[in-house]
Amino acid sequence: MRKPCCDKQDTNKGAWSKQEDQKLIDYIQKHGEGNWRLLPKGAGLLRCGKSCRLRWMNYLRPDLKRGNFGEDEEDLIIKLHALLGNRWSLIAGRLPGRTDNEVKNYWNSHLSKKLKSKGIHHPHKPDRPRQRSIDHQPVRSHDTRVNTSQILPDLNLNLSLSNPVEERLDQLQ
DNA sequence: AAAAGGTCCAACCGCGGCGAG
DNA sequence: ACTCGCCGCGGTTGGACCTTT
């Protein structure tokens, strides 16, 4: 049995208040990102480190682009999803100012339905229960190989087996 | 006007990889 | 070589808000 990531009885949960946001922003501006486990104490927050990290990454970061996705972004997400599957962090990495959570939400609420209504089949179903298989490898920065059987044929890209994902992603842009 | 149903998104949960010791 | 804690990821949920009836 894995230990909980933090002492649950001493942490707040749920929506963040303005004061909490400000504490987090102030702390990160002073000390930078990282050390998420120690951050709550340093910042005077009754939150677990994970929660702080998520709040910063998905909402408070100054470089985030808020608002609707443009048509070009939408198009890119569709292509990247065809190429990478549900590897949202990789996809988000190609969309400046967008977070993996935002891309994932947008996909689940808009794009999957849109494609379905157009009769476009997408092979990447959510795994439930969560399971990592050979063609669903964890995403790491060095993990740049992709199973090309997942790639839609109409992408019209030069996708050889030895082509790293980064190269192929560059071709999309 | 209000109840019911649908949608969206912020946040949580649990898993697995990585790296320090 | 192995253990263990931290971090990042993807899946899921809860509830606020919107739309329809």
Side-chain angles (χ1 to χ4, degrees):
Chain A
M1 197 46 187
R2 168 179 285 256
K3 278 201 307 183
C5 74
C6 48
D7 197 354
K8 307 236 173 187
Q9 66 197 16
D10 291 332
T11 56
N12 289 342
K13 288 212 290 189
W16 281 64
S17 68
K18 285 228 160 102
Q19 291 94 323
E20 286 179 308
D21 281 348
Q22 199 51 55
K23 280 182 184 176
L24 183 55
I25 292 166
D26 289 345
Y27 184 89
I28 290 177
Q29 279 174 351
K30 266 189 195 163
H31 302 92
E33 291 178 33
N35 249 333
W36 297 108
R37 197 175 163 80
L38 299 178
L39 186 149
K41 206 176 175 186
L45 287 163
L46 294 175
R47 293 274 180 176
C48 85
K50 262 175 128 172
S51 178
C52 295
R53 180 186 158 273
L54 203 71
R55 182 64 177 172
W56 175 255
M57 294 295 191
N58 287 335
Y59 203 81
L60 298 175
R61 261 166 48 199
D63 58 325
L64 289 182
K65 194 199 284 185
R66 315 289 306 171
N68 293 341
F69 282 75
E71 250 183 65
D72 50 337
E73 286 179 304
E74 198 173 284
D75 193 47
L76 188 55
I77 291 170
I78 291 168
K79 285 175 179 170
L80 288 169
H81 188 266
L83 183 64
L84 302 169
N86 297 355
R87 295 153 92 167
W88 305 114
S89 60
L90 258 188
I91 295 173
R94 288 277 151 174
L95 293 156
R98 300 297 189 184
T99 70
D100 56 349
N101 207 30
E102 209 176 358
V103 172
K104 178 172 61 183
N105 282 334
Y106 188 69
W107 177 268
N108 288 331
S109 57
H110 293 89
L111 295 181
S112 62
K113 283 175 205 161
K114 197 169 173 177
L115 293 178
K116 206 173 172 183
S117 72
K118 286 183 181 175
I120 298 172
H121 169 68
H122 257 265
H124 308 291
K125 288 177 192 161
D127 299 330
R128 192 188 170 126
R130 191 177 178 199
Q131 202 173 14
R132 295 187 191 238
S133 59
I134 288 170
D135 54 4
H136 186 189
Q137 291 296 318
V139 182
R140 297 288 167 197
S141 55
H142 63 271
D143 178 23
T144 56
R145 305 284 162 175
V146 69
N147 180 351
T148 50
S149 67
Q150 295 178 337
I151 298 162
L152 291 181
D154 63 351
L155 280 174
N156 195 25
L157 298 167
N158 173 24
L159 305 172
S160 71
L161 269 172
S162 58
N163 216 8
V165 166
E166 286 297 322
E167 269 176 44
R168 272 171 266 170
L169 292 173
D170 287 338
Q171 293 173 32
L172 286 172
Q173 293 178 324

